[in-house]
Amino acid sequence: MKIEHKDYKLLHQYEEDEKLRTSFNLLTEKTYHFDFEKWYQAGYWEDNCVLYSIADKDQVIAHVTVNVIDFIVLGEEKRFVQLGTVMTDPEYRNQGLSRMLMENIMLEWEHKCDMMYLFANDAVLDFYPKFGFVPVSEYQAFYKPEAVIKGPAFRKMNMDDAKDRDLLYHTAKYASPLFKISMKDNAGLVMFYANYFDRFSFRDNFYYIEALKAIAVAEYEEGTLVLYDILALEKIEIKEVIHALANGKTGKVSLRFMPDQTEGYEISLYKEDNSTLFVQAKQRKLFEEHQLIFPILSHT
């Protein structure tokens, strides 16, 4: 990639450089109101989180993160690349820096993965089609328990407890696929949501079901149980988890993932505010035909 300004340079995978990492975190805080430093210091930043930036001397001024994520998709292992934290310092905008980064990344990763995708906010929906991305719909599943069936016992996990953090990490790393799209061996990203993402954290939403060797990521909203994710060391029935967590007030269960088997579930469109999924055009058919959704803990 040609950088025309003599003081600009392309940076790649530089997270071990404290000065540059600090500059990257400052731009992230300025743009998105969070940073990655606590996550990095905790040791959960893994090699699949790859930084691509343009710097003016030692100041990061534009950036795109490449997140290499392995998934089990409809029973087949796939390597996807998710693009995230796309940003340019306001003082350096309108120079085509994000375009240069995107072109460089597309060229480098096109033949190293099965698909590239990203989640875009409403302000930039016209930007990504320039690189061959198209918007696609996601779907969610609902389940209405006909009766409260007493399931196995569970307990709320404490992310301030090192044993619970280790349990979560181990379970996430070796979790069995349960959904139409299941993330594989990306415990570092799960830990980011568990304890190191101050802006939007799930640290109070982890529940351990010992009998199932499973961790549920869930929230109670009046009469609805929102089930964001399930991490289990062995294949289990999702409805076992539902009946473990449901209580007498649970009239509906909203799943933010798509079960492998959807019999007995109601399926409908899902639209997150200010967020649209873009995939490469050649993968549009996969999403149009199979009513998919990326589990929220796989978002970057």
Side-chain angles (χ1 to χ4, degrees), residues 227-239:
L227 195 52
Y228 295 106
D229 211 330
I230 300 171
L231 308 167
L233 294 177
E234 302 171 354
K235 285 280 189 180
I236 59 173
E237 293 291 333
I238 291 170
K239 290 176 184 177

Side-chain angles (χ1 to χ4, degrees), residues 107-118:
L107 183 64
E108 181 171 344
W109 286 95
E110 178 66 27
H111 301 295
K112 294 182 181 179
C113 65
D114 295 296
M115 184 182 77
M116 285 183 271
Y117 71 103
L118 57 94

Side-chain angles (χ1 to χ4, degrees), residues 217-230:
V217 190
E219 186 174 11
Y220 295 88
E221 295 181 352
E222 297 181 351
T224 299
L225 170 65
V226 183
L227 195 52
Y228 295 106
D229 211 330
I230 300 171

Side-chain angles (χ1 to χ4, degrees), residues 157 167-168 171 206-208 213-217 229-232:
M157 299 178 72
L167 175 61
L168 175 60
T171 306
F206 289 90
Y207 298 90
Y208 183 52
K213 297 180 183 178
I215 295 172
V217 190
D229 211 330
I230 300 171
L231 308 167

